[in-house]
Amino acid sequence: MEKYYITTAIYYVNSTPHIGSVSEAISADIIARYKRLSGYDVFFSTGTDEHSQKIETRAKEEGISPQEFVNKASSVWKSIFDKLNISYNRFIRTSDQDHIKVVQDFFNKLYEKGDIYLGTYEGWYCVRDETFLKDSDLIEGNCPHCGGEVQRISEDNYFFRLSKYNEVLLNFYENNKEFIKPETRYNELLNVIKSGLQDISVTRKSFKFGIPVPFDSDHTIYVWFDALINYVTSVGYLHDAEKFNKFWPADLHIIGKDITRFHGIIWPAMLMSYGMELPRKIFAHGFWNLEGAKMSKSLGNVIDPVQFAENFASLAGIDFDVSVDVLRYYLSREVNFGLDGDFRAETFFNRFNSDLANDYGNLINRTITMLYKYREGVVPKEIIKNEEMISFIEKKIEEYFNTMNEYQLSFALEKVWEIIAFLNNYIQVTSPWNLTKESEKLDSILYQLLEGIRIVSLLLKPFMPKTVDIILNKLQEETLNFSNLNWGALKHNIKIEKIPPIFPRIEREKMIEKKQEELEENIISYNEFAKVELRVARVLSAERIKDSEKLIKLSVSLGKENRTIVAGIGKNYSPEELINKKIIIVVNLEPKKLMGIASQGMLLAASAGEKLTLITVDKDIEEGSRIS
Ligand code: MSP
């Protein structure tokens, strides 16, 4: 059996999964399932990227160890992937013991080879993206990728001799024009290589939560060097030779367009240096926006995909698993894989109503209703063949395979919908209700419709695995794989159980009502607002909290009393500039412990991305004054 090894990027655990990040895992899952159904022995790897400076800081702020933090956060990702039916063979974590061993082995070998050497790094670092940046990379002093704040660092680092691989990478690219897909990404990377590669830092000195350099424990291995190696650990490198020899090299790395340089340049160079085969292909997909805006936690517009599927299930009156499949369908149909997409409630409802309820759902409902009405639910024999129909469907199946092999998921779905449209039209044209006296004709048409539904459902299995299984089970399809796509495999003379409507159409009014409810959920009454007690406070003293970049401990006066407040404003304010500022605080909030210090209130600030500014008073007023 031919093998197929597919991976996703591994996900940073400092944020929770959102529609954008899970869309990558869903697309990879669709391809993995497609390959399994096509008879490949598939290994599908995904997981979490856990070592980083951010995690160290976040864990300290929460008063727990970094390991405890990542254990909790990684299990959130895993459970969400399970609910979305991501059929991974391994969920790798970069804190897994076998991975740590493999990373150290890589580091040692590259060092022994002279490809890693000690130097000094002088430049910028973006903590959010975990990237080293040069002066010329910055845009208005910020990270060119995420727009966030950068830190100036000057530290002894180990460097990887990337420049040594410039020529050989260029040759490789010129001889492997299909290495990166889509082509635009290939061209981008080719230009980067042509413009000349410089050595890169592969260690950090100022934080500890990571894998130590095996022979120099003052240094922690750079998170990207560590993370990329997950792809070989996952298939057993150094731990399961048989598995590794079978599955490596990876057949497909699926990643987002933001991380192509790491995968298309640094990773191949690391493998060349180590002496390991390169992955066969990298596919870089686009980004999902939400209702036209970038998805970001700081903009408050990230959607939890499981919550979304739960809400949609209750609105549409469908099972959670079917709702997950609707989400999987929407994400793969709405945009051509590779391009950017815009997740919109309106288009989501429309896809559900038109593609699933009207086209696919109705085809099934009408066919099963007629089967019961005319043949008591028993599949008749196809006596008169329709060669035109068979060759049309065969052609569409072939096109489906061609597009799937190019990862053009939405085009593959279009092919399936062409078959669905053909079958719906066939009902109209043949009008089986007028053929009750032409038994052979009616038998044949009913068989053809059922057989069409079976084939369409098999083709949809990678996309909507749980839903089509309901249909295929009713049709008593046994193999449940692509070996059974040949026309005529549906058995006749078997009784089909009734299939309840799987995608009930949602009325437009209900959709509008739902939108209104969502708006209303965000509205609070005057009395609710009046419960929040806001007062003016004057800052008496301020100091940074040790080991935290963000937190500042403030002592503030409310006139009659003083309070201690811990606030995450350290990236935007120095303690000195806060003294005597009149700020606004919420005084009746329950106290919360941050880094072991009880914060007795919360100050108000406005923020946009990395920007943050404190709310103060326009004219002077006594401290303790109430805001209303
Ligand atoms: N940890 C690194 C990857 C290391 S791989 C050896 C990382 N993590 S991430 O959590 O920031 O992103 C993980 C993947 O999710 C990336 O491929 C990224 O492109 C993808 N996406 C993040 N936001 C996305 C959207 N809004 N839309 C589509 N994909 C998105 O980078």
Side-chain angles (χ1 to χ4, degrees):
M1 207 190 233
E2 210 178 323
K3 69 93 185 177
Y4 191 80
Y5 178 29
I6 177 169
T7 68
T8 68
I10 48 173
Y11 302 87
Y12 287 135
V13 286
N14 56 304
S15 48
T16 45
H18 58 63
I19 293 277
S21 44
V22 302
S23 73
E24 175 178 295
I26 288 177
S27 308
D29 182 64
I30 290 168
I31 298 170
R33 286 176 186 270
Y34 164 75
K35 287 286 175 186
R36 285 191 198 108
L37 290 165
S38 303
Y40 285 78
D41 186 358
V42 172
F43 196 94
F44 172 24
S45 177
T46 189
T48 44
D49 189 355
E50 305 183 357
H51 296 128
S52 79
Q53 192 172 336
K54 295 187 277 266
I55 296 296
E56 204 173 67
T57 314
R58 285 278 302 276
K60 270 186 193 140
E61 282 168 9
E62 291 196 12
I64 54 175
S65 72
Q67 193 57 51
E68 276 176 89
F69 183 95
V70 295
N71 288 349
K72 230 166 53 181
S74 175
S75 70
V76 170
W77 279 88
K78 191 163 183 277
S79 87
I80 290 193
F81 279 16
D82 288 339
K83 289 188 178 135
L84 299 175
N85 295 315
I86 308 297
S87 60
Y88 54 80
N89 295 85
R90 174 156 180 192
F91 189 92
I92 188 169
R93 300 179 52 193
T94 51
S95 62
D96 287 341
Q97 286 311 311
D98 59 344
H99 178 66
I100 294 172
K101 237 181 107 189
V102 177
V103 171
Q104 291 191 323
D105 172 73
F106 253 77
F107 204 93
N108 273 334
K109 290 262 167 64
L110 268 52
Y111 181 73
E112 280 158 17
K113 198 172 174 189
D115 280 353
I116 285 182
Y117 63 92
L118 192 59
T120 307
Y121 178 75
E122 177 74 55
W124 301 97
Y125 191 77
C126 170
V127 179
R128 200 199 280 178
D129 279 0
E130 306 286 2
T131 34
F132 293 95
L133 300 161
K134 298 191 290 282
D135 285 334
S136 56
D137 290 330
L138 304 190
I139 298 181
E140 292 174 1
N142 289 326
C143 170
H145 311 297
C146 68
E149 210 177 274
V150 288
Q151 294 175 346
R152 183 82 192 164
I153 57 172
S154 166
E155 45 179 47
D156 293 344
N157 277 180
Y158 284 92
F159 283 75
F160 170 55
R161 237 178 261 287
L162 182 62
S163 57
K164 179 175 155 189
Y165 294 92
N166 209 146
E167 244 353 88
V168 48
L169 269 171
L170 188 58
N171 268 334
F172 175 79
Y173 264 69
E174 278 169 349
N175 292 323
N176 293 278
K177 295 200 166 14
E178 302 279 299
F179 182 51
I180 316 259
K181 285 277 170 183
E183 205 183 332
T184 45
R185 306 285 165 222
Y186 168 86
N187 291 332
E188 265 170 38
L189 292 190
L190 182 63
N191 285 335
V192 174
I193 299 171
K194 279 185 178 159
S195 68
L197 301 176
Q198 286 169 7
D199 296 350
I200 54 158
S201 285
V202 285
T203 59
R204 295 292 319 273
K205 231 182 156 178
S206 52
F207 77 105
K208 287 274 162 241
F209 186 56
I211 304 177
V213 170
F215 47 84
D216 187 349
S217 59
D218 283 351
H219 295 262
T220 303
I221 296 176
Y222 172 45
V223 54
W224 269 100
F225 187 91
D226 157 356
L228 288 162
I229 294 171
N230 92 82
Y231 300 129
V232 294
T233 312
S234 201
V235 278
Y237 188 56
L238 295 186
H239 294 87
D240 185 343
E242 197 185 320
K243 191 198 267 175
F244 181 75
N245 292 336
K246 173 168 188 188
F247 286 106
W248 191 259
D251 294 274
L252 183 64
H253 286 321
I254 293 200
I255 54 162
K257 63 177 181 180
D258 55 328
I259 55 175
T260 48
R261 288 184 194 199
F262 292 101
H263 284 81
I265 295 177
I266 299 174
W267 178 225
M270 283 166 65
L271 289 165
M272 284 171 175
S273 170
Y274 192 90
M276 215 182 247
E277 250 187 283
L278 304 198
R280 296 204 168 120
K281 200 178 281 295
I282 297 171
F283 188 95
H285 59 76
F287 260 51
W288 279 99
N289 287 333
L290 183 65
E291 305 282 351
K294 194 176 160 198
M295 279 184 211
S296 110
K297 217 172 167 188
S298 51
L299 292 176
N301 67 346
V302 289
I303 304 186
D304 170 346
V306 170
Q307 187 69 53
F308 180 87
E310 273 167 9
N311 292 347
F312 187 72
S314 82
L315 174 77
I318 54 179
D319 283 349
F320 174 75
D321 279 337
V322 176
S323 184
V324 165
D325 280 350
V326 177
L327 176 64
R328 291 169 59 107
Y329 171 76
Y330 174 83
L331 289 171
S332 29
R333 179 74 192 257
E334 189 61 17
V335 61
N336 188 14
F337 192 43
L339 302 179
D340 290 343
D342 193 15
F343 192 100
R344 288 185 179 271
E346 180 85 17
T347 52
F348 191 92
F349 285 118
N350 289 344
R351 285 263 170 229
F352 178 79
N353 270 349
S354 69
D355 302 0
L356 297 175
N358 273 8
D359 299 343
Y360 184 36
N362 254 345
L363 171 65
I364 299 170
N365 297 344
R366 292 166 82 191
T367 304
I368 297 294
T369 307
M370 289 190 292
L371 185 70
Y372 266 83
K373 188 158 175 198
Y374 305 125
R375 294 293 181 264
E376 292 169 346
V378 176
V379 181
K381 203 164 174 197
E382 186 191 25
I383 299 150
I384 312 157
K385 290 235 189 251
N386 182 333
E387 295 302 338
E388 189 205 341
M389 174 188 254
I390 296 174
S391 70
F392 177 82
I393 292 179
E394 278 172 356
K395 185 161 158 268
K396 292 300 145 193
I397 294 176
E398 195 185 321
E399 289 171 356
Y400 167 92
F401 278 99
N402 291 340
T403 45
M404 282 303 274
N405 290 340
E406 294 293 317
Y407 323 113
Q408 300 295 299
L409 309 184
S410 64
F411 291 141
L413 285 171
E414 269 176 29
K415 302 301 161 198
V416 180
W417 254 258
E418 284 175 35
I419 305 180
I420 293 175
F422 184 102
L423 295 171
N424 274 324
N425 188 48
Y426 194 56
I427 300 181
Q428 277 330 104
V429 176
T430 56
S431 308
W433 45 90
N434 292 334
L435 298 175
T436 44
K437 295 206 177 74
E438 294 176 73
S439 173
E440 288 196 349
K441 263 194 188 169
L442 183 58
D443 276 355
S444 304
I445 291 167
L446 287 174
Y447 182 91
Q448 285 151 358
L449 292 172
L450 289 162
E451 180 60 337
I453 292 172
R454 187 189 67 86
I455 289 176
V456 158
S457 303
L458 267 179
L459 296 174
L460 290 178
K461 197 165 152 66
F463 297 87
M464 303 196 282
K466 293 266 173 159
T467 309
V468 300
D469 271 0
I470 303 174
I471 301 159
L472 290 170
N473 284 337
K474 301 268 187 212
L475 295 176
Q476 300 178 36
E477 159 61 37
E478 274 158 12
T479 64
L480 295 176
N481 67 43
F482 292 158
S483 65
N484 225 16
L485 277 172
N486 51 311
W487 183 264
L490 173 70
K491 290 186 262 297
H492 61 87
N493 243 342
I494 51 167
K495 177 142 184 172
I496 304 287
E497 273 175 57
K498 281 196 173 154
I499 308 178
I502 293 179
F503 306 112
R505 210 187 137 75
I506 306 175
E507 295 312 319
R508 212 177 159 74
E509 292 66 44
K510 217 168 158 188
M511 284 160 45
I512 294 167
E513 227 173 74
K514 170 77 185 159
K515 278 200 166 166
Q516 192 57 32
E517 264 171 36
E518 272 167 15
L519 286 176
E520 282 166 10
E521 268 173 27
N522 287 329
I523 294 175
I524 56 167
S525 68
Y526 177 79
N527 285 345
E528 279 172 294
F529 172 69
K531 281 191 201 153
V532 183
E533 191 180 336
L534 297 165
R535 286 188 189 271
V536 177
R538 184 169 64 85
V539 179
L540 301 171
S541 66
E543 59 182 282
R544 283 195 184 276
I545 293 184
K546 199 171 159 281
D547 294 330
S548 169
E549 296 187 287
K550 244 169 83 185
L551 296 181
I552 292 193
K553 177 178 152 192
L554 304 155
S555 168
V556 300
S557 159
L558 286 166
K560 291 193 187 108
E561 61 165 319
N562 293 348
R563 289 205 182 188
T564 300
I565 287 184
V566 179
I569 55 174
K571 282 192 175 170
N572 309 76
Y573 287 90
S574 68
E576 301 73 47
E577 64 183 310
L578 292 167
I579 310 290
N580 279 328
K581 258 197 197 306
K582 288 207 168 149
I583 58 171
I584 313 297
I585 67 167
V586 184
V587 293
N588 60 343
L589 196 64
E590 63 174 348
K592 186 177 176 205
K593 264 202 169 169
L594 287 165
M595 307 249 335
I597 303 166
S599 181
Q600 307 159 304
M602 183 178 90
L603 56 71
L604 297 191
S607 64
E610 297 277 306
K611 279 196 238 152
L612 179 144
T613 175
L614 288 173
I615 311 296
T616 59
V617 285
D618 186 33
K619 288 190 184 135
D620 197 26
I621 194 162
E622 290 76 28
E623 49 218 58
S625 303
R626 184 157 184 170
I627 319 268
S628 53

